Amino acid sequence: IVGGGIVGCSIAYHLAKLGETDVVLLEQGQLSGGTTWHAAGLVGQLRATHNLTRLAKYGAELYEALEAETGQATGFRRTGSLSVARTAARTEELRRGLAMAACFGVEMHEISLAEAQAKIPLMATGDLDSAFFIPGDGMTNPTDTTQALARGARRGGVRVLEGVKVERLERAARASGAGNSPAAVITNKGRIACEQVVLAGG
C-alpha cells in the first residue's frame, strides 16, 4: 500500500481484519502527513445511493468502536449534523433526502427553526425556511483516527514503514512483452517484491 493517510491505513486495517498478513504500507513522510491531517473530519451517513450510505454508516460505527479496540484515541463524537434551507425548493429537496434516509435506515428529522437555533445559538434563522437534523452524524480527528487504524493494522500483522518514498513500480515481464502486473516497488530504501500494489497517496 503506497500512502499512509487515512485511506491507506484503512485499507491496511481492513486487509488485516480479512486475515491478510503479508502486507506492507509505505509512507514517504509520517502517517497522516499529507492531506489527511487538515481534513475536516466530518462523518456523515446519508449518501446518494443505498450502498454508499451503508458504507458511510459502517464508517461511523467503525470510528465509534476503534478507540476501544486499539487503545488509540480518535476524537470521534456523534454531534449530529444540521442542514438548513432558505427556499421552499431547497426544503423540498431536503424532504426528499428525509424520505431517502428513512429507506436507508438513517435517523433524520425535520425540526423547527427554534430547535435549530437552540442547537446552534449563533445561527440567524430569520431568513430560513426549514431545518433538518441527523443525530447519528459526527466528527473525528483525522490524524488520531489514522493512527488508530494503523495500530489496528500493525496488530493484525501489517508492516507500516514511515520515511520510505516510492520512486517507481517494477512490472513483471511476460513472454509477450511487458505486462501490467507489478513485480516490485522500488523505494529510496530498496526494492520490495510484491504481487499487488494499492496506490493510496495524493
Side-chain angles (χ1 to χ4, degrees):
I1 302 167
V2 180
I6 197 163
V7 172
C9 288
S10 179
I11 293 166
Y13 171 88
H14 286 92
L15 284 172
K17 286 287 184 185
L18 291 169
E20 296 291 339
T21 57
D22 189 13
V23 177
V24 177
L25 183 144
L26 305 175
E27 167 53 45
Q28 67 179 341
Q30 295 180 320
L31 294 181
S32 80
T35 56
T36 294
W37 73 269
H38 58 77
L42 302 179
V43 182
Q45 299 175 95
L46 187 60
R47 297 290 185 270
T49 69
H50 189 251
N51 281 340
L52 287 176
T53 300
R54 285 176 57 203
L55 184 62
K57 285 177 66 178
Y58 165 75
E61 292 162 5
L62 171 66
Y63 295 160
E64 192 166 45
L66 203 54
E67 182 173 343
E69 177 189 334
T70 65
Q72 165 68 49
T74 63
F76 180 79
R77 293 182 296 137
R78 286 194 188 265
T79 57
S81 69
L82 188 66
S83 296
V84 297
R86 292 180 65 189
T87 66
R90 177 65 175 146
T91 294
E92 183 180 338
E93 184 180 344
L94 288 172
R95 283 184 180 145
R96 282 196 299 269
L98 183 66
M100 190 168 67
C103 290
F104 291 172
V106 174
E107 183 182 356
M108 181 178 180
H109 310 282
E110 183 171 0
I111 62 175
S112 71
L113 296 178
E115 289 173 302
Q117 188 161 43
K119 291 182 183 301
I120 306 176
L122 293 176
M123 179 174 64
T125 59
D127 62 346
L128 296 181
D129 189 65
S130 63
F132 296 79
F133 184 63
I134 301 179
D137 285 355
M139 58 190 302
T140 195
N141 180 311
T143 297
D144 291 342
T145 303
T146 300
Q147 294 293 340
L149 289 165
R151 182 176 287 186
R154 284 187 187 103
R155 286 183 179 173
V158 173
R159 289 174 57 212
V160 177
L161 305 176
E162 296 177 276
V164 180
K165 183 176 182 179
V166 173
E167 297 175 341
R168 64 185 175 89
L169 302 180
E170 183 181 296
R171 297 181 186 275
R174 293 189 178 158
S176 60
N180 291 323
S181 299
V185 174
I186 310 303
T187 77
N188 61 333
K189 302 286 178 70
R191 180 182 185 275
I192 301 174
C194 63
E195 296 173 350
Q196 304 285 336
V197 176
V198 178
L199 299 177

